[in-house]
Amino acid sequence: MTVSIQRFANDKDLVAYFNRKLRLQLEQAIAERGHAYLVVSGGRTPIPLFKTLAKQQLAWPQVTIVLADERWVPPSDAASNEKLVREHLLQEQAAAAKFVSLLSAEEDPYEAEEEISERLAQLPTFDAVILGMGEDGHTASLFPGAEELQCGLTTDAAALAVTPKDAPLARMSMSKKRLLDSRQIYFHLSGGAKAAVLDEALAEQDVASMPVRAFLHQQQVPVEVLLASA
Ligand SMILES: O=C1O[C@H](COP(=O)(O)O)[C@@H](O)[C@H](O)[C@H]1O
């Protein structure tokens, strides 16, 4: 399955295109199966898309939104991906959507793995998965150099705790297997630095050094990369 790449001059043009595409996909899922399941990522890149999606007239009560990964902090913490989704996506029209958190009452994410995995395993095939990519080639919270990376790429579990080598926060990430149980994967990337990282990720197959390659070089799910160069 080849990766299609859509290049845009700026975020505004990318978000306009992506919003139209996601709307159609969610509407089609609801029409065909009565519900749509959308996986989103955190960080900073998705904010303009979230703000636009939140305004869309959709059957939002028939949409469930799930995070691909989470920083293991309270949802009130500035670093929380859940906080980001609640503040920018679950607003306006989209406030009626359902949300499945990756957090739990457990302080230690490693103690919460089974609970979160079971929660995510109960969800059906995702209709759309929106992933980001760090400049180190991580995606979701599958980080190069993390002790748990090999597990994240091979486990049957739907989620796992990860402590990135260089990042201060422990994480909870969906596993490769759970993320690939989907109808469509998108990569939402912005900026020249990410364009260079994407070229490197496409040029070689080694997943350990760039875990994003596990999703770019696979034949199971169609992948579309949306890249804003500025
Ligand atoms: O830490 C994370 O980073 C990635 C990339 O974020 P971006 O702002 O550079 O797009 C993100 O996809 C992931 O959800 C987040 O936890």
Side-chain angles (χ1 to χ4, degrees), residues 119-141:
R119 188 185 305 167
L120 295 177
Q122 288 166 20
L123 300 176
T125 298
F126 299 132
D127 294 291
V129 172
I130 305 174
L131 294 173
M133 180 185 69
E135 293 187 23
D136 60 358
H138 84 262
T139 191
S141 277

Side-chain angles (χ1 to χ4, degrees), residues 106-197:
E106 289 287 349
E107 284 211 8
D108 179 348
Y110 294 87
E111 294 299 320
E113 278 186 334
E114 189 174 345
E115 171 196 350
I116 307 298
S117 273
E118 284 172 6
R119 188 185 305 167
L120 295 177
Q122 288 166 20
L123 300 176
T125 298
F126 299 132
D127 294 291
V129 172
I130 305 174
L131 294 173
M133 180 185 69
E135 293 187 23
D136 60 358
H138 84 262
T139 191
S141 277
L142 300 172
F143 281 82
E147 281 180 25
E148 303 88 350
L149 175 61
Q150 196 50 30
C151 174
L153 297 171
T154 56
T155 182
D156 288 334
L160 71 154
V162 179
T163 303
K165 199 171 43 152
D166 304 326
L169 293 173
R171 310 284 192 103
M172 185 64 67
S173 182
M174 280 196 198
S175 62
K176 173 186 171 186
K177 181 169 184 179
R178 182 62 266 222
L179 286 165
L180 288 180
D181 181 5
S182 54
R183 293 182 174 85
Q184 175 72 48
I185 287 180
Y186 295 103
F187 277 98
H188 180 185
L189 310 178
S190 178
K194 296 286 179 78
V197 175

Side-chain angles (χ1 to χ4, degrees), residues 41-45 69 71 81 132-134 138 140-141 171 194:
S41 290
R44 309 313 299 167
T45 301
D69 71 308
R71 292 83 177 270
N81 285 342
M133 180 185 69
H138 84 262
S141 277
R171 310 284 192 103
K194 296 286 179 78

Side-chain angles (χ1 to χ4, degrees), residues 3 5-8 10-11 14-15 18 45-46 49 130-135 137-139 186-199 201-202 212 216 224-230:
V3 174
I5 301 177
Q6 306 293 339
R7 297 178 188 272
F8 301 87
N10 53 59
D11 281 324
L14 181 155
V15 166
F18 202 4
T45 301
L49 174 68
I130 305 174
L131 294 173
M133 180 185 69
E135 293 187 23
H138 84 262
T139 191
Y186 295 103
F187 277 98
H188 180 185
L189 310 178
S190 178
K194 296 286 179 78
V197 175
L198 175 66
D199 289 343
L202 290 169
V212 69
L216 293 172
E224 181 169 342
V225 177
L226 299 100
L227 172 64
S229 45

